[in-house]
Amino acid sequence: MGRLIKDTVLSRFYRNLSLFFMKLLNFVTMRRLLTRVINRVLLSEYFTPLMGIEAEIHTQGRRKLVVGLGNPGMEGTRHSVGMAVLGALAARLGVADRWRGDKHVSGEVIVSEVQQTHVVLLRPRLLMNVNGVSVAKAAGKYGIRPEDILLVHDELDKPLGKIVIKHGGSARGHNGVRSCVDCLQTDVMPRLRVGIGRPTGKTPVERHVLGRFSSEEKKVLESVLVQSVDLLLSQLSQEDSQQDSQPPSSPAGGRQAAQQRKELERSSSPAENSAAAQC
């Protein structure tokens, strides 16, 4: 009898645990789906002001976009450390006083140059979960390919003081990166992952990432910003002859634009293809 009661209790426990995880999975799935819908709506023409020809960059040569992911108005928090790095980069380039709001990209931008590379710095003015909308708009406006977009963001799984370059791949649970992948429809964007470490004790992750750096952490952060800017400048100034010599795998606009490019190439005449092969 006692064994039967024990089995019944365990059965109910596992059933309730299973139901809990199913509800949790449904909640996470619905939240991601809702975020994707919001991304699509904000990228639609109804929320995108018309741009005049004068709004675009008309220059020759390579163009790159550096984005500091974060939440507007929360620049001093761990989650917005990407914005702090971008601010340090602007200061190093001597253009920190040139930030200007741009309604066409839902963010603040600086157009500068590193050696012979035209560089656009972008601080989205949208929440982290929809930062990708601002990034996609900027890529479209300035004609920048996804593989030439460098995302700078916080990384929970790296301790404070650790910075790592990641060349494309999944978002690894970062909502800002996930939004960029969704809006650009590709995951080729390189990222500078700035470690902020996981919370200690019973501090919830959300409170940790939205909190500000402690006085001790700020001392470490100073050197992190210097190292991050050094690494960004190295990435921006290095010559990638292989990429420049090949047709872009992901034109501005992401996967959909790439598909349109392939359709155009297929519809071109054999004579044009032959001439292109000889170039």
Side-chain angles (χ1 to χ4, degrees):
M1 184 68 179
R3 183 178 180 82
L4 179 61
I5 294 176
K6 184 178 180 180
D7 289 344
T8 303
V9 171
L10 285 174
S11 177
R12 288 178 179 176
F13 171 76
Y14 285 122
R15 184 172 69 248
N16 291 333
L17 186 63
S18 177
L19 288 173
F20 169 76
F21 279 114
M22 286 180 64
K23 289 181 180 179
L24 181 63
L25 180 62
N26 288 336
F27 171 74
V28 172
T29 302
M30 287 302 297
R31 189 173 68 172
R32 289 182 180 178
L33 179 61
L34 180 60
T35 301
R36 294 189 69 178
V37 170
I38 294 174
N39 284 335
R40 292 290 182 269
V41 171
L42 292 177
L43 280 173
S44 67
E45 59 183 5
Y46 300 105
F47 288 85
T48 304
L50 294 175
M51 290 187 293
I53 296 177
E54 70 280 1
E56 301 180 5
I57 295 180
H58 294 283
T59 56
Q60 298 295 325
R62 193 72 173 271
R63 307 169 201 169
K64 293 190 177 183
L65 174 65
V66 185
V67 187
L69 299 183
N71 286 306
M74 300 183 70
E75 285 81 357
T77 63
R78 296 182 182 90
H79 208 24
S80 298
V81 71
M83 289 186 171
V85 172
L86 200 66
L89 174 61
R92 180 82 67 88
L93 294 174
V95 295
D97 59 342
R98 284 169 48 184
W99 288 107
R100 60 180 179 82
D102 188 339
K103 64 182 180 180
H104 301 117
V105 303
S106 303
E108 296 176 332
V109 298
I110 291 177
V111 179
S112 187
E113 189 170 321
V114 176
Q115 293 187 5
Q116 295 184 359
T117 300
H118 298 280
V119 178
V120 180
L121 309 184
L122 170 66
R123 292 193 303 205
R125 304 310 296 171
L126 300 171
L127 293 176
M128 176 72 88
N129 288 16
V130 289
N131 269 191
V133 173
S134 181
V135 176
K137 287 182 177 181
K141 173 179 178 176
Y142 295 111
I144 300 174
R145 304 179 299 185
E147 51 264 48
D148 289 328
I149 299 174
L150 214 167
L151 307 177
V152 187
H153 66 88
D154 59 304
E155 178 55 60
L156 265 174
D157 292 328
K158 300 292 180 185
L160 181 63
K162 182 77 172 180
I163 56 175
V164 178
I165 286 286
K166 183 176 187 292
H167 296 281
S170 69
R172 297 175 65 90
H174 194 285
N175 291 329
V177 177
R178 182 182 292 115
S179 175
C180 294
V181 171
D182 179 44
C183 293
L184 293 168
Q185 298 184 34
T186 180
D187 62 1
V188 300
M189 298 79 68
R191 304 105 198 239
L192 175 60
R193 301 160 61 198
V194 183
I196 61 171
R198 287 195 169 273
T200 57
K202 297 182 179 180
T203 305
V205 171
E206 184 175 351
R207 181 182 297 179
H208 175 70
V209 299
L210 295 180
R212 297 183 178 275
F213 291 102
S214 66
S215 56
E216 290 298 318
E217 288 176 326
K218 287 180 180 178
K219 296 177 183 178
V220 180
L221 184 62
E222 290 180 6
S223 62
V224 168
L225 295 180
V226 172
Q227 294 172 23
S228 297
V229 171
D230 289 342
L231 191 51
L232 284 175
L233 289 175
S234 174
Q235 291 291 310
L236 292 172
S237 59
Q238 70 180 8
E239 295 182 1
D240 192 345
S241 59
Q242 289 184 349
Q243 267 193 328
D244 289 337
S245 64
Q246 295 176 356
S249 57
S250 301
R255 190 179 304 148
Q256 187 175 8
Q259 292 174 349
Q260 293 175 352
R261 175 186 174 86
K262 288 180 180 179
E263 291 175 0
L264 288 173
E265 289 174 349
R266 289 171 184 167
S267 62
S268 62
S269 66
E272 293 173 336
N273 290 336
S274 176
Q278 295 174 356
C279 292

